[in-house]
Structure formats: structure tokens, C-alpha cells
Amino acid sequence: VLTNPVFAGGESQLLIEAARALKNGVTSTGRDQQEEFKDALELFREAQAGAIGNRNYVVWFQIGWILWKQGASLAEAGDAFSHADR
């Protein structure tokens, strides 16, 4: 998980809250962890819809990591990592 990435644009507050939820998920277990990851994923995806969010490699990486950690389809997580890599 990337920590303290530089955020730019109007998505800053969403990304800060998403990073906070992700950090809380990493330090939690069980249902609390799943809920924090769910919140982080929703916030990252909302930020992704912004003007520059779709080109933000950190957002794509974090989405891929959360999907992988939650046991989502490896293809879906792989797609997110692929976007982060380009």
C-alpha cells in the first residue's frame, strides 16, 4: 500500500478520506476491516470519476490492492494494476 501519495486537483479531500479508510482497514480485522476497505474503494472510485482521477496511478493501484485483498476477481484487480502501470 502506498502511503502519503501527493494528491492534486479537486479530488484531494476524497483521496485523503479514502487513504484514511484504507489505513483503518489495514489495521483492523474481520467485519471492521471489510467495511473500511469497502468505504475506501467507494471513495477511490468516486475520486476516479473526477477530472484527473482516471489518470491517477495511485488511485488505480489502491483500487487494485483493495480488490486483491478482498478476494475479488483477480482479473478485475489485475485490470486496475494494469491501469496503474501505464
Side-chain angles (χ1 to χ4, degrees):
V1 176
L2 300 176
T3 58
N4 299 325
V6 177
F7 301 128
E11 296 86 10
S12 292
Q13 191 60 40
L14 283 173
L15 294 172
I16 290 167
E17 291 302 317
R20 183 176 296 137
L22 180 58
K23 181 180 177 184
N24 290 341
V26 169
T27 59
S28 301
T29 59
R31 184 180 176 132
D32 288 340
Q33 182 180 59
Q34 293 304 312
E35 291 299 318
E36 291 290 352
F37 284 161
K38 179 182 169 191
D39 290 347
L41 188 58
E42 289 174 5
L43 289 164
F44 279 127
R45 285 196 166 143
E46 189 174 337
Q48 195 178 41
I52 63 168
N54 199 40
R55 297 190 52 85
N56 187 327
Y57 72 92
V58 174
V59 170
W60 280 108
F61 180 87
Q62 301 291 35
I63 288 171
W65 190 88
I66 293 167
L67 291 170
W68 168 76
K69 192 68 174 167
Q70 286 186 314
S73 125
L74 289 180
E76 189 178 3
D79 286 344
F81 286 128
S82 177
H83 278 283
D85 187 43
R86 59 181 179 108

